[in-house]
Amino acid sequence: MNPGVLTVYRWELRKLRAQKRTYLGLGAAALVPIIFVVALATQSGQPDEVAFGRYLHDTGLAVPLVLLLFGSVWMFPLITALVAGDIVAAEDRHDTLKGILTRSVERQQVFAGKVLATFTYAVLAIAITGAVALGAGILASGFNSIVSLSGTRVSATEGLGLVGLSLCFYLVPILAVASIGLLFSTVFRNSAAAIVGTLMFSLLVQLVGILPGLGALHPYLLSTQFNAWQGFLRSPIDWGPVIRALWVCALYAAPALFAAVLVFLRRDVAGD
Amino acid sequence: MPRVTPQAIPIEVRGLVKRYGELVAVDGVDLTVEAGDVFGYLGPNGAGKTTSLRMMLGLIRPSAGEVRLFGRDPQLGVKALEGVAGFVEAPSFYPYLSGRENLRLFASLDGGDALERIEESLGIVGLAGCAKDRVGGYSHGMRQRLGIAAALLRKPRLLMLDEPATGLDPGGMRDMRDLIRELSAGGMTVILSSHLLAEVEELCNRVAIVRSGRIAYQGSLAELRAQAGDSYLLRTSDEARARAVLAAQPGIEGLEATADGTRFGARDESAVGALSLALADADAPILELSRRHATLEDLFFSLTEGDAPPPAAPAADGAPRRHPVEAA
Ligand SMILES: Nc1ncnc2c1ncn2[C@@H]1O[C@H](COP(=O)(O)OP(=O)(O)OP(=O)(O)O)[C@@H](O)[C@H]1O
Ligand SMILES: [Mg+2]
C-alpha cells in the first residue's frame, strides 16, 4: 500500500497516544466536569446569572450546557491548543521533520495528517467533557426535563438530543481555535509560544467583544460563536447564530490553515 | 514522471548556492556522483557540507542552482527520493517511542515492503537487543546506528550520510566502515561527508574537498595522491642565488621558503634535472634536493586553510586544479 494522509494520520494518533500532554488535555476534559458536579452537590446554591444555571439542581442535562458556557473563556481553547500548538512544533523540538520528510510522503500529506489528528483530539476532548458532565450531572441531579431558552419545557430524552447537538456544534468554534493553534505551531516552531499565542488570541478576541463601541463586530468574533449552540435550545430552533457560526468560523479556520500549509510547504528544514 | 533508468546519474549538482542573509553557506557547488561511487564530501566545520546535503535531500531550498537525483529534482517532491535514503547531522527520532516503533513509523511512511525489513535492519546495526527501549534513553552512538537502520529500510540505491562516524566507538566505526564497504560492493552508491581524512581515504574512491562553501578539489583519490606527491625540497649553500634560479627555471612553480630550504613543485622530473644543472651553472652548489611525499593531510590543510581564496571556478569534474597531473 502506498503511504498517504491516512498513514500519517494513524501515526500522528499513535504519537499522541504516547505523549503526556494528550492525557493532560483529555484528563482535564474529564476532571473539570467531575469537580464541577462535586462542588455543585456539596452546595445548595447555583449560578443563577448563567443560562441554565438555575436548573443545575433539577436536571443533569444542565451540567454540560453550563460547562460549555463557562469553558469557552479559556478551558476548551487551552485544552485544544495544548495539542494543536504542539503538533508541528514538536517536530522542530525533536528535529524529526528531516526524518519524516525524506521518506515517501509529501509535505502536504504530512500536514493534512496532523490537521486530522488535531481535530480528532479536539472531538475526543469535547466528547469526554460532554459524556462525563452528563453522567455526573445525571447522577447528581437526575435525568429530568429541562426548560429551553424560550421558556418551554423539553422532555428529558429530547433534551438529551439537544445537548448532544449542542456539544457537536461546539466543535465548530473549537476546530477554528485548533486551526489557529496549528498556524502558530507551524509559524513559531515552538510549542509553548504557539499554545500561549493561541490562548492570547482567544482572550484578545473576547476582550474586543466587551469593548464599548465595537458592538458591531460582536457577531463576527470567534468568541461569540462559542454561544451559537444556544440556538438549538430555543423553540423553534434559532438557525441565525448557527448558520453564522458556520461561516464565521470557516473564515477564521480556512485562512489560518491555508497560511500554515504555505509556510509548511515552503519552509527550510534546517536546525536553527 | 520519467522512468528511472539504472544508468541515470545518482547525484548531479549544478551551481548550487545557499545564502543565509549575508552568509553564503554553499557557494556555487558543482558535483557529480557516479553510480557505484563511494564519494567523500570533505571539509572543515562550517564548510557547507550539511547544507549541501540538505538541499540534495529536498529539505531546504537552494538560493540558486539545482540538484538531480537519478535525474529527478528533489525540490518537486518526494518522488525524487525514490531509492534514496540518508540523514543530515545527527539522526533524530521521537524520544517517547521505542527504537523499533520509530522504525515502524518510518517504514510505514516509506510504504512498499519497508516494514518487513525492520528486524533485519536492526540486526545489521546491532540494535536488536535494545529496540524495545525508548529512544529517549539511547546514547548518541545508538541513535547514529538507528539512523543507519532507518536509511536501510528504504533499500536505497543511493545512500547519503552526514558524518556517519561521529559518536561511534572504535568498534562502531569499524562496523560502519565494513557496512559501507559491503553496501558499496552490493552496488549501492554512497556519499558521505566527513572531516576525517583517514575515514574518507579508507572508504572513498572519489572525493570533493569543500572550503567556505566552494569546491577546492574534486576528483579521484588516486589523482589527489599523485598531486600530493609532487613536491621537492632544495637546500643550497646560497639560498638567495638559488631562489633566483628557481624563479627563472621553466617547469618549476609554487616556490615556498621554509626553515629546511625552499619547497617547490615541478612539472615533471626532467624539470628537476634541468634545475640541478642550472644551479651548478649559477654557482649555487646543491646540499640537498629531495622529493617530498606530502601526505593527503598536508594537501587537505593546504586546500582548506590559509588566506588564499579558493579558485573562482571550481575544477572541472575529475581534473584537479593547481598543477596538472600527468601520470595519474
Ligand atoms: N539555518 C541556518 N541559518 C543560518 N546559517 C546557517 C544555517 N545552517 C547553516 N548555516 C551556516 O552555514 C555554514 C555552513 O554550515 P554547515 O552546517 O553546512 O557546515 P558543515 O560543513 O556541515 O559543518 P560541520 O562540519 O561543522 O558539520 C555555517 O557557517 C553555518 O553557520
Ligand atoms: Mg555538518
Side-chain angles (χ1 to χ4, degrees):
Chain A
M1 195 190 76
N2 274 337
V5 175
L6 277 182
T7 321
V8 178
Y9 173 62
R10 267 199 4 252
W11 274 100
E12 288 300 327
L13 292 185
R14 171 74 190 82
K15 277 149 67 177
L16 286 180
R17 280 207 307 277
Q19 289 181 82
K20 282 197 203 87
R21 72 176 57 236
T22 314
Y23 298 100
L24 199 66
L26 297 182
L31 211 59
V32 167
I34 293 175
I35 294 173
F36 182 72
V37 168
V38 168
L40 194 72
T42 57
Q43 291 191 324
S44 54
Q46 61 222 357
D48 282 327
E49 68 284 2
V50 195
F52 303 107
R54 78 185 86 141
Y55 308 120
L56 280 171
H57 284 298
D58 303 335
T59 172
L61 294 179
V63 173
L65 298 179
V66 170
L67 276 175
L68 287 190
L69 286 168
F70 147 81
S72 70
V73 181
W74 59 265
M75 184 183 97
F76 289 119
L78 175 61
I79 290 177
T80 309
L82 208 53
V83 162
D86 184 66
I87 199 154
V88 180
E91 305 283 352
D92 282 291
R93 182 168 66 244
H94 300 310
D95 196 17
T96 36
L97 269 185
K98 65 186 186 192
I100 55 177
L101 294 182
T102 48
R103 315 309 293 196
S104 300
V105 282
E106 301 287 354
R107 289 190 184 201
Q108 57 270 27
Q109 295 175 316
V110 169
F111 193 81
K114 286 185 177 292
V115 173
L116 287 180
T118 306
F119 284 6
T120 305
Y121 161 84
V123 170
L124 203 60
I126 298 295
I128 287 176
T129 300
V132 173
L134 271 174
I138 288 169
L139 270 180
S141 306
F143 184 51
N144 303 317
S145 61
I146 190 167
V147 178
S148 81
L149 288 168
S150 323
T152 46
R153 189 161 283 281
V154 179
S155 76
T157 25
E158 196 185 334
L160 184 63
L162 291 176
V163 168
L165 201 58
S166 301
L167 284 166
C168 285
F169 198 76
Y170 202 72
L171 284 170
V172 173
I174 283 291
L175 296 189
V177 170
S179 304
I180 288 160
L182 278 158
L183 171 65
F184 287 169
S185 189
T186 309
V187 172
F188 297 158
R189 304 182 188 183
N190 175 299
S191 80
I195 293 167
V196 172
T198 310
L199 211 56
M200 290 299 287
F201 176 85
S202 159
L203 292 173
L204 276 176
V205 169
Q206 292 175 50
L207 196 65
V208 172
I210 59 167
L211 282 183
L214 293 177
L217 283 179
H218 204 251
Y220 310 106
L221 295 175
L222 186 52
S223 50
T224 310
Q225 317 314 317
F226 276 101
N227 297 326
W229 57 268
Q230 292 178 25
F232 293 115
L233 284 135
R234 293 182 197 282
S235 32
I237 288 178
D238 181 4
W239 290 102
V242 173
I243 304 284
R244 194 181 56 225
L246 283 175
W247 64 262
V248 169
C249 288
L251 279 183
Y252 282 89
L257 285 181
F258 185 68
V261 170
L262 281 190
V263 171
F264 192 73
L265 289 187
R266 299 194 54 84
R267 65 167 288 184
D268 274 0
V269 180
D272 48 2
Chain B
M1 197 45 73
R3 283 293 303 155
V4 176
T5 48
Q7 57 268 36
I9 299 171
I11 303 181
E12 268 188 295
V13 171
R14 293 292 167 259
L16 201 60
V17 176
K18 182 65 184 183
R19 285 186 209 96
Y20 288 113
E22 290 285 279
L23 183 105
V24 189
V26 174
D27 190 2
V29 162
D30 292 295
L31 210 64
T32 307
V33 177
E34 308 273 357
D37 275 350
V38 177
F39 193 97
Y41 200 43
L42 199 60
N45 290 136
K49 304 180 294 294
T50 301
T51 307
S52 306
L53 287 173
R54 279 187 201 275
M55 287 189 277
M56 293 179 207
L57 284 167
L59 289 171
I60 62 181
R61 275 170 195 280
S63 308
E66 49 190 41
V67 175
R68 292 287 180 274
L69 303 178
F70 297 107
R72 291 166 167 179
D73 184 352
Q75 287 302 314
L76 300 182
V78 288
K79 267 277 187 301
L81 298 182
E82 233 170 65
V84 179
F87 56 77
V88 289
E89 276 172 346
S92 314
F93 302 92
Y94 300 99
Y96 47 82
L97 298 178
S98 71
R100 185 177 281 116
E101 281 274 277
N102 270 285
L103 290 193
R104 285 173 53 83
L105 191 164
F106 287 134
S108 304
L109 298 183
D110 286 334
D113 49 3
L115 279 165
E116 292 151 29
R117 272 192 290 277
I118 291 177
E119 298 309 318
E120 181 196 345
S121 302
L122 281 169
I124 289 174
V125 299
L127 280 181
C130 30
K132 62 179 187 317
D133 300 333
R134 290 168 68 248
V135 171
Y138 277 22
S139 72
H140 185 73
M142 287 161 79
R143 285 170 208 236
Q144 203 77 13
R145 288 160 185 260
L146 195 60
I148 301 277
L152 294 180
L153 293 176
R154 288 174 73 77
K155 214 165 188 223
R157 291 178 294 146
L158 168 63
L159 185 61
M160 301 196 204
L161 301 173
D162 192 12
E163 291 171 36
T166 35
L168 294 183
D169 53 31
M173 282 198 200
R174 184 200 55 216
D175 293 348
M176 170 80 69
R177 282 196 291 268
D178 291 347
L179 177 64
I180 290 176
R181 272 199 209 95
E182 193 182 313
L183 294 172
S184 164
M188 198 181 289
T189 306
V190 181
I191 179 170
L192 61 94
S193 84
S194 176
H195 3 82
L196 300 178
L197 189 84
E199 179 179 273
V200 164
E201 232 183 318
E202 215 176 312
L203 283 172
C204 301
N205 63 326
R206 298 212 311 132
V207 294
I209 297 179
V210 274
R211 168 203 167 133
S212 314
R214 293 184 174 204
I215 303 276
Y217 172 87
Q218 181 172 189
S220 73
L221 258 182
E223 282 164 339
L224 187 64
R225 274 204 197 90
Q227 182 175 332
D230 235 6
S231 141
Y232 292 83
L233 183 75
L234 172 70
R235 197 157 56 86
T236 61
S237 50
D238 188 340
E239 286 292 293
R241 193 173 292 176
R243 203 98 22 92
V245 173
L246 277 166
Q249 197 66 17
I252 301 293
E253 58 203 2
L255 299 192
E256 188 190 343
T258 70
D260 303 333
T262 307
R263 205 186 258 275
F264 63 90
R267 192 183 55 218
D268 51 29
E269 283 193 326
S270 66
V272 182
L275 171 70
S276 66
L277 294 176
L279 284 168
D281 283 348
D283 207 12
I286 299 172
L287 302 179
E288 183 186 349
L289 176 56
S290 60
R291 188 175 189 147
R292 284 294 156 112
H293 287 279
T295 60
L296 275 183
E297 201 87 37
D298 293 337
L299 195 67
F300 175 61
F301 286 133
S302 79
L303 286 173
T304 58
E305 284 178 354
D307 307 321
D317 193 23
R321 62 176 200 104
R322 303 211 162 168
H323 7 122
V325 178
E326 45 279 273

